[in-house]
Amino acid sequence: MAGKPLKIGVLISGRGSNLQAIIDGITRGEVAAEITVVISNEPGAYGLKRAETNGIPAVVVNHRQYPTRQEFETKLIEILKEKDVAFVVLAGFMRVLTSHFLKAFPQRVVNIHPALLPSFPGVGVQEKAVEYGVRFSGCTVHFVNEGVDAGPIIAQAVVPVFPTDTGEILADRILAMEHQIFPRVINWIAEGRVRVEGRRVIVEGAETDENRAWIEPAI
Ligand code: GAR
């Protein structure tokens, strides 16, 4: 791994399994990043324990204690800057960030979303995908802009949706893919291979295979 690791701050709200996947990727030497801080807006988030177990500074910034979004975000920015964070990773962070925050980290915030955007933005989307009857869903890693789940897409992974699925079953299938693609994308960013051209994101040296296609139900 050449050069200095990219200093990232990871924002969470809960379980933190994506955080764990990133930590594991770093530990295995597959992700050229260093997590200098984990921040949760939820005091009881299990991800805070994961951070502590791995010797990563973990901080709670409870949004309920701030009268406005801007004040909440100002506190986040203050901590991230103090920890020398160059890139912000939203890993199950369930608060919408405004331009106030994004201006502090321009083109330097990524999020993972458990659906194939632009389908199913928002929350509860695995269940919505099952109810809608789509044959495929998946996850999306994207840059964060001022819209909700609307920024330029870096990578997506696709999974099938079966008639017998519940939202929970599908969520687990998608989560397994989240754990695969999120650390990889962060490594691409750390290696300086990702650039944005308008809405499109170019990943330098990414492998492609034009023969890949899926049909569901299978034929
Ligand atoms: C993940 O499925 C992530 O995609 C989703 O929350 C879950 C967090 O799990 N994020 C969103 O819905 C963002 N709007 P984790 O805490 O175990 O990583």
Side-chain angles (χ1 to χ4, degrees), residues 14-19 50 91-94 111-114 122-123 125-126 149 175 178-179:
R15 180 179 52 184
S17 69
N18 277 290
L19 165 66
R50 298 182 193 266
F93 184 65
M94 303 308 276
N111 178 48
I112 188 148
H113 181 76
V123 295
V125 296
Q126 300 95 333
D149 301 322
L175 194 65
E178 295 185 36
H179 297 163

Side-chain angles (χ1 to χ4, degrees), residues 111-186:
N111 178 48
I112 188 148
H113 181 76
L116 292 176
L117 292 171
S119 289
F120 306 112
V123 295
V125 296
Q126 300 95 333
E127 199 174 338
K128 284 177 188 161
V130 168
E131 278 167 10
Y132 194 94
V134 291
R135 295 298 194 190
F136 294 99
S137 189
C139 51
T140 304
V141 180
H142 63 92
F143 283 103
V144 176
N145 67 9
E146 276 143 41
V148 175
D149 301 322
I153 292 168
I154 308 169
Q156 293 185 306
V158 176
V159 301
V161 182
F162 303 122
T164 48
D165 280 351
T166 61
E168 253 175 47
I169 293 170
L170 178 60
D172 284 347
R173 194 176 302 128
I174 292 171
L175 194 65
M177 297 312 299
E178 295 185 36
H179 297 163
Q180 289 201 35
I181 69 169
F182 211 10
R184 215 164 286 201
V185 169
I186 293 164

Side-chain angles (χ1 to χ4, degrees), residues 84-117:
D84 212 15
V85 164
F87 212 96
V88 179
V89 173
L90 309 185
F93 184 65
M94 303 308 276
R95 306 293 300 169
V96 170
L97 292 169
T98 72
S99 59
H100 175 63
F101 183 90
L102 297 173
K103 273 184 201 140
F105 295 95
Q107 297 274 45
R108 285 184 155 64
V109 185
V110 287
N111 178 48
I112 188 148
H113 181 76
L116 292 176
L117 292 171

